[in-house]
Amino acid sequence: MTDISRAKATTSLQDRIVLGLVKFFKAEWSGAFLAIVILGISIELATSGRPFFHPSNLMTILNNSAAIGIVAGGMTLVIITAGIDLSVGSVMGMTAALTGYVASFWGFPPYLAIMTGLGIGLAIGAFNGSLVAYFGMPAFIVTLAGLSIWRGTGHLSTGAQATPKLPETFDMFGRYNPFSGLRDAYKEGELSGFWESVGGFIDDNWINFFRTFQMSMLIFIGFFIVLTIIISNTRYGRWVYAIGSNEPGARQAGINTPRYTLLTYMFCSFSAALGALLFLGRAPYAKSDYGQMWELDAIAAVVIGGTSLFGGRGSLWGTFMGVILLKLINNGLTLAQLDTFWQMVVTGLIILVAVGLDIVRQSKNPESVRKLLGAIAAVMAFLALMTPGAIFLRAKIALLEHGAATTLREAGTSLAAGQNARLLSPDEITQLQSAASANLAATLLLLVLVLATAFVVLKTSRLISFGLAAVFIVMILPVSLLGYEITVPFLVLGAAALLGSTYVHAMFAKARMLDVNAR
């Protein structure tokens, strides 16, 4: 091969790579998919013991994602129509409580109780949808009111009390393992021939694979497959997108927009009720306080998956990956021993990033993309900061409150119960001082990294971006030595975002040139 032909082949390969990247990033789900891959690989490298990509671990993530994933699937359709449903968490809690209540206290057979719960979900959706579609009330107001109405109704109907242990029938929606029967029959010697071989294979691979195989995962995956087929291949799916893109235009085109809007809200509440059943399949009892803040998680998963809050664009595949990404991050924060409240903070930050991504995608401006990648890197630095920062702040606040309570007591002030609880023993003081001292250096370093990365959002400089990306990578070693291995995935993601930001303008210029040449 001559030098000229070799150069042409190299150029052609580069062009195909650029076009492939452009096509990939045009997909709504691209951001969530890329984050899952990078985060998964980072966790795999950062953790010891069982590999992250072990089949049983992946199935555990799917099982944990199932209930909220079903709710997010219904939410996707509502958001595609440019609507919103803030009541899904309350609907989930109410239907879970009433389903368990009628099964435990009214003597309903389990399957009748299940049908009752699903029917309640449909009825609530019809109520919400009618107010939005036929009475013209804003979806935000209707479902915000529903958030209180349905939660309160669930508490009132059941006295906010937990039910006794639910019948085993509910396990069919959750923890039931479809392979356990074959394994038990094999161990009892009840199988022969082909089925004996199958039972032996299941028994040999029980710990490594089949043990975490549960119905919740199968229902979750099946739900999204069926719903994707419906949305992609039916008139209902096409009209949902049409309503979200341009409702007046859809109405003028002859689409019965109120009817399909009503159906969409009914399906969303039905999904919340089905999600409640999956949750009950893994919970020992039913209670009306289930599903709190699930509306936030569902909306976050949908938006992270690339569905536009402005309607008309989105995919269920993206929502599926958005749910998985949320669970990956939440599991990581749990491993970092951070409070649930920090997970709420992170979920809110992720929503902001996802909305920013949607806005940037619509603008098609390379500078906006560069700034967004810088903002993502800053968020990743903040997530890395949370582990040592939370420990440092918690220790400092506890010592400060102890000092204030001690001063009041020495001044002769009678302390309230809450103030007395702030008083610490000498051992506790020593432990907190040690915790604050041990986490001070990492907190300061990562705080400086957050501020420096935020500067990249405002300042265009490839040199600064490369330098900060190198700092992200270098920081991996000290934070690992200090025992903060869980922050490594966030540092890797931050470095990847910064490196990507340095090539945005070149990528856009190359893509435009190829587009012009293609014409």
Side-chain angles (χ1 to χ4, degrees):
M1 181 181 290
T2 65
D3 292 341
I4 296 176
S5 60
R6 189 179 294 109
K8 287 183 178 179
T10 303
T11 302
S12 176
L13 177 61
Q14 292 175 348
D15 291 349
R16 288 198 297 270
I17 291 174
V18 170
L19 291 175
L21 288 173
V22 170
K23 183 177 180 181
F24 171 75
F25 284 109
K26 280 184 177 179
E28 291 89 353
W29 46 264
S30 58
F33 176 78
L34 192 61
I36 289 173
V37 171
I38 296 176
L39 190 60
I41 293 173
S42 302
I43 294 175
E44 176 85 15
L45 297 175
T47 56
S48 58
R50 173 165 288 184
F52 174 79
F53 287 106
H54 193 279
S56 63
N57 189 48
L58 296 179
M59 284 191 287
T60 298
I61 292 172
L62 288 172
N63 287 322
N64 293 337
S65 304
I68 185 62
I70 297 290
V71 178
M75 180 71 77
T76 304
L77 302 187
V78 169
I79 292 180
I80 288 176
T81 65
I84 198 76
D85 191 341
L86 301 176
S87 67
V88 289
S90 298
V91 174
M92 182 272 182
M94 176 184 171
T95 54
L98 290 178
T99 299
Y101 189 83
V102 298
S104 299
F105 297 111
W106 287 16
F108 278 29
Y111 287 106
L112 181 58
I114 289 167
M115 296 303 295
T116 300
L118 295 176
I120 290 172
L122 284 172
I124 293 173
F127 177 81
N128 291 342
S130 296
L131 294 179
V132 173
Y134 291 99
F135 291 87
M137 295 181 68
F140 181 88
I141 300 300
V142 170
T143 57
L144 180 63
L147 184 149
S148 295
I149 292 171
W150 310 126
R151 181 69 66 187
T153 302
H155 289 327
L156 290 170
S157 301
T158 62
Q161 299 297 314
T163 65
K165 190 177 185 302
L166 296 172
E168 291 184 0
T169 303
F170 286 93
D171 293 351
M172 295 296 297
F173 290 91
R175 67 175 67 91
Y176 175 73
N177 190 323
F179 293 102
S180 60
L182 272 173
R183 180 177 183 246
D184 292 341
Y186 170 78
K187 295 179 74 173
E188 294 293 331
E190 299 174 357
L191 301 178
S192 60
F194 171 75
W195 289 112
E196 184 178 11
S197 300
V198 172
F201 177 78
I202 292 172
D203 186 57
D204 292 340
N205 296 276
W206 183 257
I207 298 298
N208 291 326
F209 186 81
F210 291 102
R211 180 176 59 86
T212 52
F213 210 101
Q214 297 181 356
M215 285 300 297
S216 56
M217 177 186 71
L218 296 179
I219 295 172
F220 176 38
I221 295 173
F223 175 86
F224 271 85
I225 291 174
V226 172
L227 193 55
T228 299
I229 293 173
I230 292 173
I231 294 301
S232 303
N233 299 281
T234 66
R235 183 169 57 183
Y236 169 73
R238 293 192 296 271
W239 287 357
V240 163
Y241 281 97
I243 292 170
S245 299
N246 187 350
E247 184 176 1
R251 191 183 304 112
Q252 291 177 2
I255 298 174
N256 190 335
T257 56
R259 177 191 298 170
Y260 288 95
T261 300
L262 170 64
L263 288 174
T264 302
Y265 279 89
M266 289 179 66
F267 183 79
C268 185
S269 292
F270 174 84
S271 298
L274 181 57
L277 293 179
L278 267 66
F279 193 86
L280 292 179
R282 294 166 61 84
Y285 52 80
K287 198 174 181 183
S288 56
D289 62 357
Y290 289 161
Q292 295 191 53
M293 300 300 294
W294 275 36
E295 55 279 342
L296 178 63
D297 289 342
I299 293 171
V302 174
V303 176
I304 290 168
T307 297
S308 174
L309 283 173
F310 306 105
R313 293 190 301 107
S315 70
L316 288 159
W317 174 231
T319 297
F320 183 89
M321 288 188 289
V323 173
I324 301 301
L325 180 58
L326 272 183
K327 285 299 176 183
L328 284 180
I329 294 174
N330 288 343
N331 288 346
L333 296 179
T334 300
L335 290 174
Q337 298 180 344
L338 290 173
D339 295 334
T340 304
F341 307 117
W342 279 111
Q343 297 184 21
M344 295 166 63
V345 171
V346 172
T347 301
L349 287 174
I350 292 172
I351 291 176
L352 290 176
V353 171
V355 172
L357 182 63
D358 182 47
I359 294 172
V360 166
R361 185 184 285 115
Q362 293 187 57
S363 72
K364 300 179 181 179
N365 185 340
E367 182 60 17
S368 297
V369 175
R370 186 200 65 78
K371 289 181 177 179
L372 177 67
L373 289 174
I376 291 173
V379 170
M380 293 301 108
F382 175 77
L383 294 178
L385 167 67
M386 282 197 312
T387 299
I391 298 172
F392 175 80
L393 280 177
R394 192 182 303 123
K396 280 295 186 181
I397 290 173
L399 291 170
L400 178 64
E401 290 175 344
H402 167 77
T406 301
T407 301
L408 289 173
R409 185 179 61 178
E410 291 174 350
T413 303
S414 179
L415 299 182
Q419 292 171 315
N420 271 316
R422 264 59 178 180
L423 294 173
L424 304 171
S425 67
D427 288 341
E428 289 175 326
I429 293 173
T430 301
Q431 291 174 1
L432 290 171
Q433 289 173 339
S434 299
S437 176
N439 289 276
L440 176 60
T443 299
L444 290 177
L445 285 173
L446 290 171
L447 179 60
V448 170
L449 187 61
V450 172
L451 297 175
T453 310
F455 178 75
V456 174
V457 179
L458 305 174
K459 181 69 175 178
T460 303
S461 173
R462 294 190 68 183
L463 182 61
I464 294 176
S465 297
F466 274 120
L468 280 175
V471 173
F472 269 80
I473 299 299
V474 170
M475 283 291 293
I476 291 175
L477 180 60
V479 298
S480 298
L481 293 176
L482 290 171
Y484 306 128
E485 293 88 352
I486 194 62
T487 66
V488 172
F490 302 126
L491 293 172
V492 174
L493 281 171
L498 285 170
L499 290 174
S501 71
T502 62
Y503 293 99
V504 168
H505 284 278
M507 290 282 292
F508 267 76
K510 184 69 172 179
R512 286 168 179 159
M513 183 186 71
L514 293 174
D515 185 53
V516 170
N517 293 338
R519 293 177 183 176

